[in-house]
Structure formats: C-alpha cells, structure tokens
C-alpha cells in the first residue's frame, strides 16, 4: 500500500510538472498553423515541439489513451504516426479506417482529448520495418507501374490514396480544433532520389506540387529530403543531426529545422541481440540539436509496440519494442523516460528563449574547440547550453562567473535571470539522478503467473501436407505471384527419378538437394519424411543445401527410384526499403539440383497456404481434435501441428493491479517456430532463435555513453539469449469475467501453428512488471548452510570473550586496590588465632 501511495504521489507530481511544460492553447478550439525559421507557428507563436512516434496499428486501441497520457507526462506535446496504406486499403477501393487497430479517427480523437498535437506522416510509402513498406499487394499488379518514381500509374494511385486520407482526417485539422499540425508526403526519398536519375527529380517535385494542391491549413514536410522541393519543409533523420543544421539554414533560411526521426533505440531481427542506446547519449544529441538551432525533435520510436499478424518487414521480430521510452506493453522504461522527461520540461519551460531569438553564434569556453556555449537571450536574462563534445575528457570552464567541469560528451543547461548574480545549473545530460540509477538497477521484468498449461486443456491435430495444387508448371513459379502475400507459405512439389549419382560412391557426387537463390525459409520433405529447415538472413536470397535422407538412398538401391520432393517455402515479411519494390520476388528462384543433377525443369505443382491458416470455422471447432499426450508427441517429431489451448480465464482476471491493468505475455520458450492467435486475433509470428554470445559478438562487449553511437557497434544486450521469448497478449483481446462474477464461464482459446517441434504443455503466461523503485528493495538474507553449527560457535566464542574480559577486569581491579593501600581480607582460621 505504501508503494502505491508513493507511486500515486509521484504521478501527481509529474502531472503538475507536465501542466507547466505541456501548455497548449487549443484543444478543441480552432487555431492556425504556419511556419517560421524559429519553428512551426501555432496561433501566432513559434513553438518547440517535443514529439514521440506511436504507431496506431502497433498497439491495441484500448492502450492508446494510456500511451498518450504517459507521453504527455513524459514531457511530449506532439504525437507522430505514419499512415499505413496496406492496412487501410487491402484491396483496391476497399477502405478500412474504422475497425480495431485501423481506426485512425479514434487515434486522432484520443490525441485531441489528451491535448496533444499530431504530425501525420501520410507517405504513403512508410518503410517503418513494416511489411512491403506499407504498400498494398494489389499495387504491384497495376500495369506498367514503377514504385516511387515519375511513373503515371504509381502517381495516380498515390494521389488517390492521399486524397482519401485527407478526406478522412479533415475533422481533425486546426480549423476544427483538431490535433494535426503537419502532414508528410513520401518518406526518406533523398536516400533513393538519385537512384532514379531525372525521373527521381521529377517525382520529388511532383510530391511538393501534389501536397500543395490539397490546400490544407497545415504545412507539408518531406523527411530525409536532401534536395530542395518547393512547397514542403525538408526534415532530417538520424542518431545525431545537429551537424546538419548549418547547411540546412544556408539552403532553407526561411524554414524551421525539424528532426523527424531521432533514433533512441533500434529495431531487432530474429537471432539478434537486443539494441540499447544509453540515455546520456540520447539526451546529449537532443540538447545539442536545440542548442544549435533546432526547434522540433521526434523520437522514433517513443512507443514501438508490436508487429501483430504478418505486418513486419523481412526477418523483423514480432516485438517492435525499439528500446523505447514506453515499452511494447505500454509500461514506462523508467531510466529513459525520466531522464529525458526532465530535459523536455526545461526545453518547454524556456520555449520563449529558444524560439523567440535567432540562433546564436557559438562562444568558445576553453582552449579546446570541444567546449562551446550557445546563449539564447540577453546578457542578463538568458537560457544557455554549455557543450563538451570531447568523448574522453572533462573540461573545466568559467562562464559568466560560473565555474564548472563539463563531463565528456555532455550538454549542461543553465539559466540566468535579471535577479541572478550568475547562472544556475539546471541539468546535465551525462549526470543521472539517484532515482534513475536505482531504476537502472531494477529494469522491467516478466513474472510468470502460470508455470505451465494443463494437458487437459490442450488439443491438437496434425497439419496435412496434402492438398489440391492451384498451379502446375514446368518449373517453380515465383512465390508472391502465386500467394499475393496473403500467406507466408507456398508448397512446391515434384516427383523425380532418383539420379544415379545419388547411389554413387564417388565423393564428387554429393548426396544433396541444393536450392539456389531461394528465400526466405525452406522446409524439405522426401516422400513425406522431414529432412530439415533452413533460412536466409534479412531480405537477401540464399542457397540452401539439404542432405538426401538415408531412407531415400536405400530406395534407390532397391530400384524404387521415384521420389516425391515437397518444399515448403516461406516469406518472413516483404521488403520495406529497397529500390524497385514492385518487382520484389521470393520462393524458389534459381536452379535446383539433386545429387548434382539439375531438376529445375520438369513437372512442378504449387499450392499456397496451410490448412486452417486463416482459422475457418471448422478449425475453431476443436472437439474432434485429439487430446494432447506428450508421450505420443515424442514419437512424431518434426511434424507440423495445430494446437488449441484453453487458457485459465479466472487466473488472468485475478492479476489486476491497483496502479496498472495487468500486461500479459505468452512465454513460448518451449516451442520452435510458427504463428499464434488469441480468440481469432492473429498475434504474430514466433521464432525461438538465439542471439550470439557476447564472446562471439563485439557489440555485446562494449557500451559507453560517450562517443558516437551505432547499434551495429555497441551496447547490444541479452546476448546468448533468445531474441524473443515473450509475445504480447493484449488484455483487450481477452475475454475476462467481470469483477465479482466468479460463476461466469468465459473461454479464451490460444491457437498455435507449430512448424517444427515443441512442448505446448510448457507454454506459460507471464505478466510484464515495470515499477519505479522509489527506494532500494530489501534483499532477503539467505540463511547460511550449517547455521546451527555457526550459531553454536558464535555463542561459545562470545562466552569466551566475556570470560576473558571479566578476568582482565578482575586483575585490573585487584592491582588498583593494592596501589590504593587496600589489603586483602583474610577469612581463614589462622588469622583469627593471632
């Protein structure tokens, strides 16, 4: 109870702080938005924007209000999100802006109700580690289309979708008191514009012209846009962006400097260690950006969320946590959240200094060029940034009577008012409070609430390899042209005569099946017998080599040479960031050899999808399924299976907290690879791949805040562990009994599609815990072994000490008495006789 009271008091304090820091004159009232060199101008005032990316499809709608409240408490005044074309128009002309995670108007309304602005990044290309970069599959079938260049079919469809988004979001524009203050067209086009030559330049100009034709009341931006485009504000992305400001002001003296993607973490692929960026470095980069003239920063991501279903890009994990300020489950990442909250509060409190003055010239603070000051204001009334960009050494400085030692790689914020004799230090990016250090020692964790699932609640059925082929061809057909990306899976089957080379003793004839230029994953069966699974890396094609099983070789010796080869090809998300995405291809694309002989040409049958993959009604009726028996499963390894698992709804309902609703996860450590659903909602892919050990991977062994950060060079965490063991189970997708209604019977069915092997009885439910430790938790003292013996020894030693001390005291008293002339009193009989 005491912890809850303290937590509530802290929350109240943060609310009071944010009330000062996050002032907003609107919400609900009409206002105007313009632009100036010193920031976006809202109702006539240039503003500092502290922005965080929260993507509405990556969290359940029930989480949106809490996420935005926490973002505002964290010192943000703006939310940033992409708009995801393939979610809103899955088939041409068939729009969805109002169901579940696609409900963009509800997301915007939630921002308005929380007094937060919104930067709406329409694209419609988004990258975002999102499947196909946000493009819908039907787009690639438009005749003569080329994506993201001066291609008439592409520009026609792009403009049509943007027009639809503008129509849906009009009620949320400033003239209606809505939260939208800027819109983005295209995305990071500067990285690819030169690839398309003159057509790239024409397309960039077309983007600017198209944006202006909508005549909106908010400015348009183009991020990572290196080449000038009339009608839009070019913005920047990166880990550090202050070094880009001088060129930006030379090229765009009339425009505000906006940092659309400040990367406080990074995304994670299957088999990678978790990225982490030190909070001191994040604060340093942001403070330096504002010191040198920036007016807006947006964290990509503030809350990363979850790649539900099949929405992730190639090999991108289902978790999109991004080491954000608010984790995948909607809980604060306290060290990062608090350290940057303090910086945001100061930036917003001193907004009038930052946006009300021209960008100052730097003032050298010491002999070293690494120490400089940027002062906003007058000589006697200012807000200043004192920078030490030396990554190794502290620098002693004296600034306006203030003596300071600036830590390496840090920015110190100081304030002097007319009443002050010298400036006051407000904040240093490299110095962490005791509370933050304590929070670092007690990070968020998972706490198991069920150690395993009862086998009585598990049913299963094998997944059939047989099926009716949809295509027959003389060679394997490219996968996406068959599946249209409606499934990860495509079966390729052929029957071939076993080449004589397979029976040869000549070592030159390898007994292998080789798939050249294949992707992303291939699982091979010979005559229905599982041979193996192999996968590529990221979005690169690979060559897969499988040993021909001994049982097949024996058949060859018996002159029964006909063999059926079944290959299950899988995609793990489609390209999200490459040129010519319209021609992206997967499946069996190159030559196929068996024992060295080319079998590419022949009769091939293709069948997309897996039985029950989209959970039809007959699959959800599990009464006819077998009851799960672990012993029977051991006899049939490497067999694809469906599992239907009924969860203990009462146990889930009992986890409610006074402070936060319970945040659930599914611990899949006992499984291998596949997909999971809860009550028909596709939670995503799972894959239990292990990250490299620290001894094998240098970025796991080095992590310091001082020095240029990059996730491929430093600060990887959880090395040697499973990349993703826990999978988000949103509370709002569960059916829970109402409070006090213990008699109500509700069902929660977890469906698991396992591609390889696993032990579903060991799947468990965990709760995500992230509490702010206001004081160091007491550590339980472990009772030592043989404590009775140690206790006895201690007692004996203690008694000996007392006896020894008593003896010494008695001797000392005797000597003192003798020195004082006291004689001994004799009590024996002889003394009486004298």
């Amino acid at each position: 109870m005491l912890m809850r009271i303290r937590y509530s008091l802290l929350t109240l304090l943060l609310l009071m702080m944010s009330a000062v820091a996050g002032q907003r004159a609107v919400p609900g009232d009409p206002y105007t938005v313009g632009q100036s060199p010193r920031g976006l101008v809202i109702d006539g005032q240039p503003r500092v924007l502290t922005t965080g990316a929260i993507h509405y499809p990556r969290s359940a709608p029930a989480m949106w209000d809490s996420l935005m409240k926490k973002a505002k408490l964290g010192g943000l005044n703006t939310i940033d999100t992409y708009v995801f074309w393939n979610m809103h128009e899955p088939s041409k002309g068939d729009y969805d802006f109002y169901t579940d995670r696609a409900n963009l108007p509800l997301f915007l309304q939630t921002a308005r109700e929380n007094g937060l602005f919104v930067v709406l990044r329409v694209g419609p290309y988004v990258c975002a580690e999102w499947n196909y970069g946000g493009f819908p599959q039907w787009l690639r079938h438009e005749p003569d289309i080329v994506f993201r260049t001066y291609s008439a079919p592409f520009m026609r469809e792009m403009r049509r979708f943007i027009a639809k988004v503008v129509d849906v979001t009009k009620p949320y524009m400033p003239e209606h008191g809505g939260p939208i203050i800027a819109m983005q067209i295209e995305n990071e086009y500067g990285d690819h514009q030169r690839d398309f030559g003159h057509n790239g330049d024409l397309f960039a100009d077309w983007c600017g012209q198209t944006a202006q034709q909508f005549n909106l009341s908010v400015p348009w931006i183009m991020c990572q846009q290196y080449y000038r485009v009339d009608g839009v504000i070019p913005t920047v992305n990166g880990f550090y962006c202050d070094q880009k400001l001088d060129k930006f002001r030379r090229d765009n003296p009339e425009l505000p400097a906006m940092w659309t993607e400040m990367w406080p973490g990074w995304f994670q692929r299957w088999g990678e260690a978790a990225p982490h960026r030190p909070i001191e470095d994040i604060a340093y980069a942001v403070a330096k950006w504002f010191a040198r003239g920036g007016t807006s920063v947006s964290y990509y991501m503030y809350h990363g969320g979850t790649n539900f279903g099949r929405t992730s890009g190639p090999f991108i994990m289902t978790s999109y946590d991004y080491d954000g300020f608010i984790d995948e489950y909607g809980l604060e990442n306290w060290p990062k959240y608090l350290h940057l909250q303090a910086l945001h509060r100061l930036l917003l409190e001193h907004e009038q200094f930052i946006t009300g003055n021209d960008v100052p010239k730097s003032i050298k603070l010491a002999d070293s060029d690494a120490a400089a000051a940027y002062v906003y204001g007058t000589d006697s009334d200012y807000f200043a940034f004192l920078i030490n960009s030396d990554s190794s050494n502290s620098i002693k400085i004296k600034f306006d009577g203030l003596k300071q030692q600036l830590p390496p790689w840090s920015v110190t914020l100081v304030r002097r008012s007319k009443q002050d004799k010298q400036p006051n230090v407000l904040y240093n990016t490299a110095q962490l409070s005791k509370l933050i250090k304590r929070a670092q020692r007690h990070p968020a964790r998972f706490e198991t609430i069920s150690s395993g699932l009862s086998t009585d609640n598990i049913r299963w059925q094998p997944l059939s390899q047989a099926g009716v082929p949809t295509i027959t061809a003389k060679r394997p057909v490219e996968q996406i042209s068959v599946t249209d990306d409606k499934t990860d899976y495509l079966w390729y089957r052929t029957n071939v005569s076993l080449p004589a080379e397979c029976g040869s003793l000549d070592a030159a004839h390898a007994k292998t099946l080789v798939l050249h230029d294949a992707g992303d994953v291939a699982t091979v069966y010979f005559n229905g017998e599982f041979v193996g699974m192999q996968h590529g890396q990221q979005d690169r094609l690979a060559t897969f080599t499988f040993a021909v099983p001994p049982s097949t070789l024996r058949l060859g010796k018996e002159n029964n040479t006909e063999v059926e080869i079944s290959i299950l090809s899988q995609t793990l998300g489609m390209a999200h960031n490459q040129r010519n995405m319209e021609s992206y291809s997967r499946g069996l694309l190159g030559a196929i050899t068996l024992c060295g002989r080319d079998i590419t040409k022949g009769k091939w049958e293709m069948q997309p999808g897996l039985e029950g993959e989209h959970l039809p009604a007959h699959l959800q009726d599990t009464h006819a399924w077998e009851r799960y028996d672990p012993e029977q499963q051991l006899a049939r390894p490497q067999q694809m299976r469906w599992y239907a698992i009924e969860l203990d709804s009462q146990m889930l309902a009992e986890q409610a907290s006074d402070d936060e609703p319970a945040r659930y996860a599914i611990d899949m450590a006992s499984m291998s690879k596949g997909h999971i659903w809860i009550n028909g909602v596709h939670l995503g892919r799972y894959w239990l791949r292990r990250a490299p050990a620290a001894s094998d991977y240098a970025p796991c062994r080095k992590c310091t805040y001082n020095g240029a950060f990059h996730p491929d060079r430093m600060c990887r965490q959880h090395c040697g562990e499973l990349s993703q063991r826990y999978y988000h189970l949103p509370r709002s997708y569960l059916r829970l009994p109402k409070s006090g209604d213990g008699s109500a019977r509700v069902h929660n069915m977890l469906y698991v599609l396992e591609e390889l092997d696993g032990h579903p009885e060991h799947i468990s439910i965990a709760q995500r815990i992230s509490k702010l430790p206001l004081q160091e938790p007491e550590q339980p003292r472990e009772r030592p072994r043989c404590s009775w013996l140690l206790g006895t020894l201690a007692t004996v030693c203690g008694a000996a000490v007392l006896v020894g001390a008593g003896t010494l005291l008695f001797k000392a008293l005797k000597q003192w008495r003798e020195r004082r002339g006291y004689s001994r009193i004799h009590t024996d009989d002889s003394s009486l006789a004298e």
Side-chain angles (χ1 to χ4, degrees):
M1 177 61 76
L2 180 60
M3 177 60 77
R4 290 198 297 268
I5 292 172
R6 288 179 175 173
Y7 185 87
S8 300
L9 289 173
L10 178 71
T11 303
L12 180 60
L13 175 62
L14 298 184
L15 279 166
M16 292 169 63
M17 287 162 45
S18 106
V20 175
Q23 293 175 358
R24 177 182 170 185
V26 273
D29 298 326
Y31 60 101
T32 60
V33 180
Q35 60 196 48
S36 79
R38 297 306 298 137
L40 289 189
V41 178
I42 298 175
D43 266 353
Q45 296 295 321
R47 299 295 300 270
V48 163
L49 298 180
T50 50
T51 308
I54 299 175
H55 294 163
Y56 53 95
R58 283 177 158 142
S59 53
M63 297 172 64
W64 294 346
D65 184 65
S66 172
L67 291 173
M68 292 193 192
K69 282 181 167 55
K70 290 179 179 182
K72 191 167 184 178
L73 281 174
L76 301 192
N77 58 15
T78 308
I79 298 298
D80 165 305
T81 185
Y82 283 124
V83 177
F84 297 82
W85 191 355
N86 52 10
M87 169 166 272
H88 294 299
E89 194 180 6
S91 57
K92 188 173 181 178
D94 181 16
Y95 296 105
D96 178 9
F97 283 94
Y98 298 99
T99 64
D100 197 32
R101 298 188 304 274
N103 198 336
L104 176 58
L106 177 61
F107 185 81
L108 296 173
Q109 179 61 25
T110 305
R112 169 156 53 188
E113 290 172 355
N114 281 283
L116 291 163
F117 297 123
V118 171
V119 174
L120 196 66
R121 305 174 72 186
V122 180
Y125 167 71
V126 299
C127 184
E129 293 74 56
W130 186 266
N131 191 49
Y132 214 26
F135 289 136
Q137 275 303 307
W138 58 262
L139 189 65
R140 64 189 274 140
H141 301 308
E142 294 294 304
D144 303 319
I145 196 166
V146 182
F147 289 3
R148 304 185 69 198
T149 189
Y150 200 74
S151 162
F154 180 75
M155 294 187 296
R156 179 191 69 234
E157 297 305 322
M158 175 174 165
R159 192 187 195 287
R160 185 180 57 80
F161 179 71
I162 294 175
K164 181 65 177 180
V165 174
V166 168
D167 183 58
V168 169
T169 59
K170 272 185 178 177
Y172 304 96
M173 293 294 174
E175 61 270 28
H176 302 294
I180 298 174
I181 56 171
M183 304 270 275
Q184 177 178 303
I185 191 167
E186 240 296 327
N187 186 54
E188 298 178 324
Y189 195 62
D191 293 338
H192 294 282
Q193 184 171 333
R194 285 293 178 257
D195 295 341
F196 292 104
H198 181 58
N199 278 348
D201 298 336
L202 291 175
F203 176 68
D205 290 338
W206 175 86
C207 286
Q209 295 163 9
T210 299
Q212 292 306 304
Q213 288 169 5
F214 287 106
N215 295 316
L216 297 182
S217 57
V218 299
W220 287 82
I221 64 174
M222 286 183 73
C223 82
Q224 206 77 328
Q225 186 55 43
Y226 311 129
Y227 315 103
R228 186 176 178 90
V229 174
D230 291 337
V232 300
I233 302 171
T235 67
V236 294
N237 298 350
F239 291 108
Y240 309 90
C241 283
D242 64 281
Q243 73 279 8
K244 302 177 182 180
L245 284 166
D246 289 342
K247 182 180 186 303
F248 175 85
R249 281 194 293 271
R250 287 195 304 269
D251 296 344
N252 309 278
E254 76 287 5
L255 298 178
M258 301 178 69
W259 191 356
T260 30
E261 290 189 18
M262 192 287 170
W263 301 326
W266 202 239
F267 60 88
Q268 188 177 1
R269 297 182 180 93
W270 305 108
E272 290 184 342
H276 168 71
R277 185 174 182 183
I279 57 179
E280 301 95 329
D281 181 57
I282 298 169
Y284 168 77
V286 173
K288 201 173 180 186
W289 164 260
F290 281 98
R292 299 185 62 182
T295 63
S296 169
V297 66
S298 180
Y299 298 100
Y300 187 101
M301 301 288 296
Y302 196 77
H303 162 75
T306 306
N307 289 317
F308 292 105
R310 301 175 54 251
T311 59
S312 64
F315 288 85
I316 305 297
M317 292 190 340
T318 297
S319 172
Y320 197 66
D321 185 82
Y322 221 90
D323 191 30
F325 297 77
I326 302 175
D327 73 10
E328 179 183 4
Y329 296 81
L331 298 173
E332 295 90 341
N333 179 351
W334 283 114
K336 186 171 290 189
Y337 184 87
L338 292 175
H339 191 50
L340 273 295
Q341 177 199 56
L343 176 59
H344 302 154
R345 177 171 58 86
L346 291 169
L347 293 172
L348 294 174
E349 283 180 357
H350 298 91
E351 179 180 70
Q352 72 277 14
F353 288 98
I354 297 171
T355 63
N357 291 279
D358 293 334
V359 180
K361 294 184 181 299
S362 65
I363 301 170
K364 192 172 180 179
L365 290 177
D367 292 338
S368 170
D369 291 334
Y374 291 84
V375 181
Y376 289 84
T378 65
D379 291 343
S380 60
D381 190 15
Y382 59 78
F383 180 62
F385 301 81
L386 313 182
I387 299 173
N388 177 9
S389 56
D390 189 315
S391 62
S392 303
N393 302 302
S394 296
I395 299 177
K396 290 182 179 181
I397 61 105
K398 185 176 181 180
F399 172 76
D400 195 15
L402 175 69
K403 293 181 180 180
Q404 280 286 295
Q405 182 158 305
L406 304 181
W409 203 256
S410 74
V411 180
T412 300
L413 277 59
V414 300
R415 168 81 170 97
R416 179 178 178 179
S417 68
K418 293 179 180 179
Q419 293 76 32
D420 296 324
K421 293 182 179 180
Q422 66 178 31
N424 296 301
V425 175
L426 304 178
Y427 178 89
N428 179 273
T429 59
Q431 294 175 347
L432 306 182
S433 69
K434 291 181 179 180
L435 179 61
I436 292 172
K437 290 179 180 178
R438 193 181 305 127
Q440 288 180 323
R441 293 193 294 271
H442 302 282
R445 68 187 190 280
F446 290 99
E447 194 173 88
T448 300
I449 59 177
S450 73
S451 57
L453 302 175
S454 169
T455 55
D456 292 339
N457 294 332
I458 304 175
R459 292 181 177 271
W460 77 282
Q461 72 170 14
L463 196 148
S464 173
Q465 295 181 34
V468 178
T470 58
I471 293 179
T472 302
K474 294 181 178 180
R475 63 175 300 144
V477 177
E478 191 276 325
Q479 179 166 346
I480 298 169
S481 65
V482 179
T483 66
D484 208 25
D485 197 40
K486 291 180 170 61
T487 173
D488 285 354
Y489 304 99
L490 179 65
W491 284 104
Y492 293 92
R493 294 189 183 91
T494 188
N495 287 276
V496 297
S497 296
L498 198 66
E501 291 86 344
C502 290
S504 170
L505 297 178
D506 187 349
H509 298 294
K511 307 333 187 255
T512 57
L513 173 74
V514 182
L515 313 177
H516 296 272
D517 293 331
D520 295 316
V521 181
T523 307
V524 171
Y525 300 83
F526 273 70
N527 293 329
E529 178 186 350
F530 174 82
V531 174
M533 173 188 282
Q534 294 186 28
H535 59 81
Q537 294 292 338
Q538 300 182 26
D539 56 357
R540 296 188 292 269
L541 295 174
T543 295
F544 301 139
T545 301
F546 299 88
V548 178
S551 58
T552 300
L553 297 176
R554 285 195 297 271
L555 288 174
K557 292 179 180 179
E558 297 168 3
N559 297 319
N560 185 3
T561 59
E562 188 78 7
V563 58
E564 180 190 71
I565 301 175
S566 298
I567 304 168
L568 181 61
S569 176
Q570 301 176 44
T571 55
L572 284 174
M574 291 184 60
H576 58 90
N577 183 20
Q578 69 177 45
R579 185 180 171 187
N580 299 125
M581 291 170 65
E582 70 283 347
S583 59
Y584 184 77
S585 56
R586 279 297 177 267
L588 305 185
L589 304 179
I592 302 173
T593 61
L594 179 60
C595 298
R597 181 179 295 182
D598 193 330
I599 62 169
T600 311
K601 295 180 180 180
K603 182 181 178 181
W604 285 87
E605 297 175 344
M606 276 65 68
Q607 175 196 342
L610 295 178
E611 179 189 15
E613 184 184 353
H614 300 292
L615 294 183
H618 80 271
L619 180 62
Q620 296 189 53
D621 182 9
T622 60
H623 295 293
W625 292 21
E626 293 184 47
R627 191 172 296 280
Y628 175 72
D629 182 344
E631 297 300 322
Q632 291 181 2
Q633 297 282 299
L634 290 174
R636 291 175 282 189
Q638 284 86 41
Q639 180 185 33
M640 290 187 292
R641 301 176 175 92
W642 276 105
Y643 295 103
I645 306 167
E646 185 175 351
L647 302 182
D648 186 340
S649 303
Q650 192 61 43
M651 174 202 67
L652 294 170
E654 290 171 356
Q655 302 304 315
S657 161
D658 292 346
D659 298 326
E660 287 267 11
R663 312 301 173 105
Y664 300 116
I666 309 171
D667 182 351
M668 298 293 289
S670 64
M671 306 302 285
S672 297
K673 183 178 179 299
H675 293 252
I676 44 178
W677 290 257
I678 185 68
N679 297 328
V681 178
H682 192 179
L683 297 179
R685 302 179 181 98
Y686 69 90
W687 194 2
L688 282 302
R689 283 192 67 190
R690 196 167 292 278
S695 58
D696 300 326
Y697 191 50
C700 292
R701 301 193 297 270
K702 176 187 176 183
C703 190
T704 59
Y705 84 85
N706 49 319
F709 170 82
H710 194 280
D712 291 339
R713 293 197 300 264
M714 60 175 66
C715 293
R716 293 282 180 160
Q717 297 183 330
H718 305 297
C719 304
E721 300 178 17
L722 295 172
S723 289
Q724 186 174 358
R725 171 178 175 174
Y726 296 95
Y727 294 80
H728 189 196
L729 180 60
R731 185 182 179 89
S732 58
Y733 293 155
L734 295 170
R735 305 180 187 119
L736 299 176
K738 295 180 180 179
S739 179
D741 189 3
S743 61
R745 175 71 171 162
V746 293
H747 298 272
N748 286 285
M749 192 64 73
L750 182 71
Y751 291 94
V752 179
L753 171 57
E754 172 57 54
E755 298 168 7
L756 290 171
D757 198 8
H759 297 276
E761 73 275 19
H762 297 310
I763 293 174
S764 61
I765 306 300
Q767 187 172 350
R768 180 72 167 172
I769 306 292
S770 179
K771 292 184 177 179
L772 180 62
L774 297 180
Q775 61 185 14
E776 199 72 43
E778 289 187 9
Q779 299 297 323
R781 295 184 179 179
E782 197 171 312
R783 188 177 177 88
R785 294 178 182 178
C786 303
S787 56
W788 64 270
L789 179 59
L790 292 174
T792 302
L793 289 173
T795 302
V796 171
C797 290
V801 169
L802 289 173
V803 170
T807 302
L808 290 173
L809 183 61
F810 178 80
K811 288 182 178 179
L813 179 61
K814 175 184 176 183
Q815 292 171 358
W816 178 79
R817 287 172 60 88
E818 289 175 350
R819 285 197 302 268
R820 292 287 182 175
Y822 293 102
S823 60
R824 180 179 178 184
I825 301 175
H826 297 279
T827 58
D828 56 276
D829 293 341
S830 60
S831 63
L832 292 175
E834 290 179 354

